[in-house]
Amino acid sequence: MTLVSNDGTFALGFFSPGTSKNRYLGIWYNNIPMQTVVWVGNRINPINDSAGLLKIEASGRIVLQVQNTTAVWSTNTTASVQNPVLQLLDTGNLVVRDGNDTWKNWDDPSPGDLTYGVELEGNPEMVLRKGLEKYSRSGLWIGSRFSGGPSSPIFDYEFVWNENEVSYTYFLKNKSVISRVVINQTESARERYTWNPETQSWRQNIIIPTDYCDRFGLCGPNGKCDTNNLPVYCQCLTGFRPAWPERWNSFDYSGGCVHSKPLNCQEGDGFIIIGNVKSPDTTNSWVSKTMNLKECRDECLRNCSCMAYTNLDVTRGGSGCAMWFGDLIDIKQLQSDGQDLYIRVSASEAVLMAELKKKPKVNLAIILPTVIGAFLVFLLVVRYIRMRRKLTDEVEEENPSDKENEDMELTVFEFGTIAQATDGFSFHYKLGEGGDTTKWTRIAVKRLSKSSGQGLTEFKNEVKLIARLQHRNLVKLLGCCIQGEERMLVYEYMPNRSLDAFIFDQMRSKVLTWSKRFQIICGIARGILYLHQDSRLRIIHRDLKASNVLLDSEMNPKISDFGLARAFGGDQTEANTNRVVGTYGYMAPEYAIDGMFSVKSDVFSFGILLLEIISGRKNRGFYLANQSGNLIEHAWRLWKEDEPSVLADDFLVETGNLSELLRCIHIGLLCVQQHPDERPSMSSVVVMLVSQNELPSPKQPGFLFCKKPFEADCSSGNDGPSSRNEISLSLLEAR
């Protein structure tokens, strides 16, 4: 049985979602080939067979029964009608319907704990909740939109807010567009989709939370979240300081911030303005639609509990008044279209900020040349004091080609200069740390740990190798520092940190669309090709992983960390070592087990990285219910079952270039094949990525049956016995 709306847009009937065999009563788009369900009736009590009956009682109640007896679902409407008619409206609604439209997941339409709607606590705003907890919110309605986001080119909005009614409605500007809203329990998000008839797919237009800073209360009381302030999102509001500095510097922002100088309400406080923000949580707020901004300020100043105020309506020059009392919660910095928020601070703090703003613009004509001149003098001084140290020590016996290296010069910075640039190596500016280094910003400084078992050898090695390398997909070394036991490398700063911070983070991964990921994949491949083929020496990186791929402001990838790299000279293609170093989860089997490394070792690591970028999951620590093995084994299993797209992150499959994505999975499996000779070279990989030529079928990957590659029972998969070097292992943790 199927009931279709008058205009043919929607249909009502029975269906089975996803892979489920259960039957449900639902409504879906009738004129779209991809079945997209928008409403479910018996979501809690599915029908296990096809014997379901939908009927209308005389009372007007709609009932779904199994075997004509047991009711598994019904409406709560009991209005009496003489001739009840079940009607599916052109809007997609039944005359009486269940109002809860969230599913637990795509295979289970039973209600989840995610809800979205207008909340009236304090003053009205749209709130997304997980259970009882606020998860994300819109900010106040400010005349034409909510303060937390820009207007939409697709919709017109209407927000009714008076003594008798609060309601929010949106209308499609183009009536021919098909659009729907989904509460995605799996991603904890509210998503807006429009149907694209050309690609025959749903395209995501809006997602809430939009980014990491849309998570409610992330930076604690009186904190501000700014996604453009990488790597530290949270900042104290101007005039405030961390309530618990040690916790704050350890990235625990729950304690929030307090006033830098105490308020004195009786003697008079002041206000400073913070522009372009989403208004604070409205729970403890008050509004007046008749006050102007000056009256709003005076009223707030008279109330010692009032901590901030602003215009209620920002259209047509601004009008109305909104005030907040107590701590300010969940402020987000926007780039544009936000509100100007006036925050209460001590009178002296307000005077100081006012004086700074009163500086006449003409002063820039004096200040700017002075600053530029001082900077030029600084550069001259640095050039004058630069030390022409020759790093001619032999790296180690594994790099015989370095004996022929020419002497080179590299800018050597004084320890004090770097300490000043990093604010005394403040924890606040720390980017991350690995097994033997700590990294800092704004120039990126890699400071070798004094307790590291590696250190000097790797330091010299990295200086010698990377100082010679020039490629857009390799990080640029600016200089170094050697003073006592201190050894530091100074790199160009990468504002978006490392690749792993995006692909393995549930929220930030959405920033990397498939087109951006493909761009990153191609950039990494070109960088490795340069190392293997186009540089003066053939360089084997030996530690390719997501945390060693840095991203610049435009998300261009740059390979970093050459401390473990080795250079080959002449016709050398492989080498053997008694000391295996690298990161578990990325090592090629012949290297981890037999100590043999070559360009094909890097190809294997690139294959792992490729599969991680596509799946959003780490090879190490990979877990899937009811299945064993790592990410490689999972990918291989799906390949053999002819379902490789299941490996990819769902939103990449839905929004990306599927044929391009499947080709990359194919290339990844070719790169992680068991035997090095069967893996493609990086030059072949680069060609494969950009061409449409047919690819060879991949063979069994390496480490397919190994829980850990260094356990006694772990085999590299060789068919026959093999002689093995006695080697020592130095594993680095993947960051």
Side-chain angles (χ1 to χ4, degrees):
M1 179 206 77
T2 302
L3 179 65
V4 180
S5 62
N6 290 333
D7 64 357
T9 301
F10 294 96
L12 168 73
F14 291 97
F15 74 100
S16 295
T19 59
S20 173
K21 295 181 180 179
N22 293 327
R23 302 288 290 170
Y24 298 88
L25 176 69
I27 298 174
W28 58 84
Y29 286 98
N30 185 54
N31 53 0
I32 293 176
M34 178 193 301
Q35 188 182 62
T36 305
V37 179
V38 297
W39 174 83
V40 182
N42 58 317
R43 59 181 65 212
I44 297 177
N45 300 311
I47 299 173
N48 296 324
D49 53 40
S50 59
L53 175 65
L54 184 68
K55 70 176 186 179
I56 307 173
E57 296 179 340
S59 65
R61 192 172 70 132
I62 304 170
V63 181
L64 177 61
Q65 293 181 338
V66 179
Q67 298 177 348
N68 297 339
T69 57
T70 305
V72 296
W73 172 83
S74 67
T75 63
N76 57 9
T77 300
T78 57
S80 178
V81 290
Q82 292 182 349
N83 298 304
V85 176
L86 181 64
Q87 182 181 5
L88 180 60
L89 303 180
D90 294 343
T91 59
N93 294 331
L94 282 173
V95 174
V96 179
R97 68 178 181 87
D98 182 357
N100 189 346
D101 293 331
T102 68
W103 298 19
K104 281 187 177 178
N105 57 57
W106 298 118
D107 298 326
D108 183 1
S110 59
D113 65 348
L114 204 65
T115 58
Y116 182 77
V118 179
E119 293 200 359
L120 304 180
E121 184 180 11
N123 286 290
E125 57 183 345
M126 305 300 292
V127 176
L128 182 69
R129 284 184 180 269
K130 292 186 71 173
L132 299 177
E133 300 296 326
K134 284 187 180 180
Y135 191 71
S136 184
R137 59 179 194 88
S138 64
L140 272 176
W141 180 260
I142 54 176
S144 61
R145 55 183 170 80
F146 293 103
S147 69
S151 301
S152 169
I154 302 175
F155 303 98
D156 287 323
Y157 301 98
E158 180 181 352
F159 191 71
V160 178
W161 177 11
N162 55 45
E163 294 180 357
N164 302 315
E165 178 186 355
V166 176
S167 63
Y168 172 55
T169 313
Y170 44 85
F171 308 92
L172 283 164
K173 294 180 179 179
N174 184 349
K175 302 302 181 183
S176 65
V177 173
I178 298 175
S179 179
R180 67 189 179 106
V181 172
V182 175
I183 304 299
N184 190 331
Q185 296 287 337
T186 304
E187 300 295 335
S188 297
R190 173 190 179 272
E191 300 168 338
R192 163 72 69 176
Y193 291 90
T194 56
W195 178 254
N196 187 331
E198 296 180 359
T199 62
Q200 292 289 288
S201 63
W202 290 100
R203 181 178 64 188
Q204 187 184 86
N205 300 106
I206 301 171
I207 182 170
I208 298 172
T210 304
D211 53 41
Y212 191 64
C213 283
D214 267 334
R215 295 279 297 274
F216 180 77
L218 196 68
C219 298
N222 308 311
K224 178 180 68 172
C225 192
D226 185 356
T227 55
N228 292 288
N229 188 49
L230 293 171
V232 181
Y233 287 115
C234 290
Q235 302 169 305
C236 285
L237 297 173
T238 304
F240 290 75
R241 58 176 176 77
W244 305 95
E246 292 184 2
R247 297 181 187 177
W248 188 274
N249 291 335
S250 300
F251 307 106
D252 177 2
Y253 306 115
S254 58
C257 306
V258 295
H259 281 95
S260 299
K261 297 181 180 179
L263 300 178
N264 192 329
C265 184
Q266 285 71 30
E267 295 185 10
D269 296 318
F271 294 93
I272 58 174
I273 185 173
I274 298 179
N276 282 322
V277 296
K278 178 174 76 173
S279 60
D281 179 45
T282 62
T283 301
N284 297 312
S285 65
W286 177 87
V287 299
S288 168
K289 297 182 179 180
T290 59
M291 280 186 179
N292 60 36
L293 195 62
K294 182 180 183 304
E295 292 170 334
C296 190
R297 180 188 187 279
D298 294 342
E299 183 66 26
C300 184
L301 200 58
R302 283 192 291 268
N303 189 323
C304 296
S305 298
C306 180
M307 291 295 113
Y309 72 92
T310 188
N311 273 134
L312 181 61
D313 190 333
V314 299
T315 59
R316 298 182 298 276
S319 64
C321 170
M323 300 182 194
W324 283 265
F325 303 91
D327 288 329
L328 305 174
I329 306 295
D330 195 41
I331 295 177
K332 176 184 176 182
Q333 182 69 58
L334 305 174
Q335 293 304 298
S336 60
D337 297 327
Q339 272 185 297
D340 290 339
L341 188 66
Y342 297 84
I343 298 176
R344 190 182 201 123
V345 295
S346 68
S348 60
E349 195 88 29
V351 169
L352 176 62
M353 294 301 298
E355 288 298 322
L356 291 175
K357 290 187 177 182
K358 286 181 181 178
K359 296 289 184 182
K361 293 184 178 180
V362 70
N363 281 3
L364 292 176
I366 301 172
I367 296 173
L368 194 58
T370 303
V371 171
I372 294 175
F375 180 72
L376 292 175
V377 170
F378 170 77
L379 290 180
L380 291 173
V381 171
V382 169
R383 184 171 181 83
Y384 176 78
I385 66 172
R386 60 185 289 189
M387 303 161 69
R388 301 179 178 274
R389 298 183 177 179
K390 311 286 185 173
L391 299 175
T392 56
D393 295 1
E394 300 299 330
V395 175
E396 61 177 337
E397 73 280 0
E398 294 180 326
N399 246 347
S401 57
D402 274 357
K403 295 177 181 178
E404 301 173 1
N405 287 350
E406 299 174 343
D407 288 349
M408 64 180 179
E409 294 182 359
L410 185 69
T411 300
V412 181
F413 295 97
E414 289 188 339
F415 178 82
T417 302
I418 298 178
Q420 183 177 5
T422 57
D423 193 19
F425 304 101
S426 169
F427 194 91
H428 183 71
Y429 296 111
K430 193 172 180 180
L431 289 174
E433 61 182 309
D436 61 334
T437 63
T438 300
K439 298 181 182 178
W440 313 82
T441 185
R442 274 250 158 204
I443 50 171
V445 179
K446 186 166 79 170
R447 185 185 191 189
L448 274 72
S449 171
K450 298 176 183 178
S451 60
S452 171
Q454 298 172 29
L456 181 58
T457 297
E458 282 69 26
F459 175 81
K460 292 180 179 179
N461 189 59
E462 186 156 9
V463 169
K464 284 192 172 187
L465 291 181
I466 199 172
R468 298 170 176 269
L469 303 177
Q470 298 292 330
H471 191 271
R472 62 177 301 177
N473 295 118
L474 302 183
V475 70
K476 184 178 180 181
L477 182 65
L478 304 177
C480 65
C481 173
I482 304 176
Q483 183 167 325
E485 296 182 355
E486 293 286 355
R487 295 174 180 83
M488 286 169 278
L489 297 171
V490 181
Y491 291 103
E492 59 178 327
Y493 173 58
M494 296 289 105
N496 283 316
R497 299 194 293 175
S498 55
L499 178 61
D500 63 325
F502 284 88
I503 61 175
F504 301 138
D505 185 278
Q506 185 177 4
M507 294 295 297
R508 303 184 73 199
S509 63
K510 303 302 181 185
V511 175
L512 293 184
T513 60
W514 172 248
S515 61
K516 290 182 180 179
R517 295 192 193 211
F518 185 69
Q519 170 190 324
I520 290 171
I521 290 169
C522 292
I524 296 170
R526 287 192 296 266
I528 302 173
L529 175 61
Y530 171 80
L531 295 175
H532 288 183
Q533 181 174 302
D534 298 331
S535 62
R536 290 179 57 188
L537 297 172
R538 183 176 290 112
I539 307 296
I540 314 300
H541 190 281
R542 296 206 303 175
D543 199 22
L544 290 168
K545 56 186 177 182
S547 60
N548 282 343
V549 176
L550 305 184
L551 301 172
D552 66 12
S553 59
E554 297 178 353
M555 291 295 185
N556 295 310
K558 293 180 183 287
I559 300 170
S560 70
D561 209 335
F562 286 76
L564 305 181
R566 291 294 176 264
F568 285 174
D571 297 328
Q572 186 181 9
T573 59
E574 65 178 18
N576 182 276
T577 182
N578 291 327
R579 180 169 171 257
V580 173
V581 290
T583 303
Y584 174 54
Y586 293 89
M587 285 188 193
E590 70 276 5
Y591 178 46
I593 296 175
D594 298 319
M596 298 295 299
F597 63 92
S598 66
V599 291
K600 297 299 182 72
S601 307
D602 281 355
V603 171
F604 184 93
S605 300
F606 173 77
I608 298 293
L609 186 53
L610 187 52
L611 297 178
E612 289 185 335
I613 292 173
I614 293 171
S615 67
R617 298 183 176 189
K618 297 180 182 180
N619 183 44
R620 182 185 180 187
F622 174 83
Y623 171 78
L624 200 64
N626 302 321
Q627 290 187 11
S628 61
N630 54 18
L631 180 63
I632 307 177
E633 185 170 352
H634 178 56
W636 179 243
R637 184 186 299 112
L638 292 173
W639 178 266
K640 290 192 298 181
E641 295 173 354
D642 199 26
E643 294 184 340
S645 63
V646 177
L647 178 73
D649 193 310
D650 289 342
F651 98 96
L652 296 179
V653 176
E654 295 170 1
T655 61
N657 185 325
L658 185 58
S659 62
E660 199 172 65
L661 189 150
L662 292 175
R663 188 174 181 85
C664 285
I665 294 176
H666 193 158
I667 295 171
L669 289 172
L670 290 173
C671 291
V672 297
Q673 292 179 109
Q674 178 70 46
H675 299 288
D677 292 342
E678 294 172 345
R679 300 172 204 151
S681 64
M682 286 309 302
S683 59
S684 298
V685 169
V686 171
V687 173
M688 290 176 182
L689 287 170
V690 298
S691 72
Q692 298 299 319
N693 297 336
E694 185 176 353
L695 302 178
S697 297
K699 297 181 181 179
Q700 178 176 303
F703 288 159
L704 184 58
F705 304 107
C706 302
K707 294 180 180 178
K708 292 184 179 179
F710 307 113
E711 290 180 346
D713 61 349
C714 183
S715 169
S716 64
N718 295 328
D719 296 331
S722 62
S723 60
R724 184 174 302 175
N725 289 335
E726 295 298 325
I727 59 178
S728 61
L729 306 174
S730 300
L731 297 182
L732 306 181
E733 293 289 331
R735 297 189 291 273

